[in-house]
Amino acid sequence: MDANKIFEGFHRKVVCLVGAGGKKTTMYALSQSLTGTVALSSTTHMYHYDSKYVNRLISVKNQDYLAFEKEVGKVHAFFGEKIHKERVSGLTEEALSNIWNSGNYDTMIIKADGARARLIKAPGPGEPLIPSFADYVIPIFSIKVVGRKLDSSIAHRIDQLSQVMNIEPGEVIQEKHVTSLMTSEAGFLKHAEGKQIIPIINMVDSEIDEQVALRIAEKALALTDSFQSIILGAMNKRLIKNVVLRK
């Protein structure tokens, strides 16, 4: 995986991850693959960072961060209050901006909404929380939802998904339904105005998965000009299977 090629054209970049089906996995995959120093953070509550992928965990007290010197190591994760043993709170835009403006990082990767470890979601009211200074938005969903029923075992915010995808709860999710999510102003495009959008269809683990994902990507690119490419990946393996470009 050469993540640097995804973000060609930006010397320093701020990347927001939204959706479901692998945001944290994608965060770690990008942080390990990108050159230069990387700051990880979130605008929402999340499970604590995995120390296997992070050189330093930094608690931001009272949403305030002021860097006096460059931190040690490549990847640093910033978080707010500890909610309980496994979860921490996100940071405000001001705190995130202070971290970024410290100049210590070549890339900042921000988890900008929650999905309760589901495979697909639609944004709820007020979501996603994308900072104004972000350069990229990467909306994600798992290809594993295609052919499964829309229910709470795989989906977060079913009411919103039902409206955006034009599907009733309990119905089988088809390719056309996820295409609607990807191209909707109430789905992948929400709060992403002025940002470069690069969707990822994740968990593409087989040739069949890739064939299905390829059809979905080509259809989505034909229906909107809001993004120019879609990544098909298996981010838990740090693999980009394909990059589908607008024809």
Side-chain angles (χ1 to χ4, degrees):
M1 172 183 178
D2 188 353
N4 296 284
K5 289 186 177 180
I6 301 172
F7 305 114
E8 284 179 339
F10 281 84
H11 172 61
R12 298 181 72 225
K13 52 264 181 187
V14 178
V15 181
C16 286
L17 305 176
V18 301
K23 289 196 298 292
K24 285 284 289 293
T25 305
T26 301
M27 173 182 277
Y28 294 138
L30 290 175
S31 70
Q32 299 302 302
S33 301
L34 289 165
T35 56
T37 52
V38 181
L40 308 180
S41 196
S42 174
T43 57
T44 185
H45 294 348
M46 63 181 290
Y47 291 104
H48 215 311
Y49 297 91
D50 190 332
S51 59
K52 289 187 299 183
Y53 305 106
V54 177
N55 298 109
R56 187 170 179 186
L57 296 166
I58 302 170
S59 176
V60 179
K61 303 295 185 182
N62 300 316
Q63 297 285 333
D64 185 32
Y65 173 79
L66 180 62
F68 293 97
E69 60 183 29
K70 195 165 186 176
E71 304 285 357
V72 176
K74 175 187 175 181
V75 182
H76 305 141
F78 296 85
F79 57 93
E81 297 177 8
K82 184 177 286 188
I83 306 302
H84 52 67
K85 184 178 179 180
E86 296 183 345
R87 290 175 69 82
V88 292
S89 64
L91 300 181
T92 63
E93 176 162 345
E94 182 179 4
L96 292 168
S97 179
N98 288 338
I99 295 167
W100 181 240
N101 289 333
S102 72
N104 285 349
Y105 301 98
D106 297 297
T107 307
M108 174 177 270
I109 304 173
I110 300 168
K111 178 177 172 286
D113 65 4
R116 300 186 183 275
R118 301 303 194 266
L119 302 180
I120 192 169
K121 73 164 288 186
E127 290 185 324
L129 295 171
I130 298 173
S132 60
F133 59 92
D135 301 302
Y136 292 88
V137 175
I138 298 183
I140 301 169
F141 81 93
S142 168
I143 195 64
K144 305 302 186 189
V145 302
V146 177
R148 295 186 61 178
K149 292 181 179 179
L150 177 62
D151 60 36
S152 60
S153 68
I154 64 167
H156 182 46
R157 301 202 182 281
I158 291 178
D159 289 345
Q160 283 88 352
L161 275 170
S162 178
Q163 294 177 15
V164 173
M165 299 198 306
N166 193 25
I167 181 176
E168 293 297 324
E171 283 189 36
V172 173
I173 299 172
Q174 301 177 36
E175 295 175 20
K176 64 180 181 180
H177 297 134
V178 291
T179 301
S180 295
L181 176 67
M182 295 178 73
T183 58
S184 172
E185 296 288 344
F188 273 17
L189 307 183
K190 189 175 179 184
H191 295 173
E193 300 87 354
K195 318 300 183 188
Q196 187 165 339
I197 304 170
I198 308 176
I200 292 179
I201 303 177
N202 197 24
M203 302 186 187
V204 179
D205 299 319
S206 68
E207 289 186 11
I208 293 176
D209 286 342
E210 188 167 353
Q211 291 170 7
V212 175
L214 181 60
R215 290 196 299 268
I216 292 169
E218 289 176 342
K219 182 65 172 178
L221 287 166
L223 290 174
T224 181
D225 58 3
S226 295
F227 41 83
Q228 304 302 311
S229 62
I230 297 172
I231 296 169
L232 314 186
M235 305 311 288
N236 63 328
K237 302 172 185 175
R238 280 195 255 166
L239 292 177
I240 293 177
K241 297 293 191 73
N242 200 343
V243 179
V244 186
L245 303 174
R246 180 178 304 284
K247 293 181 178 179

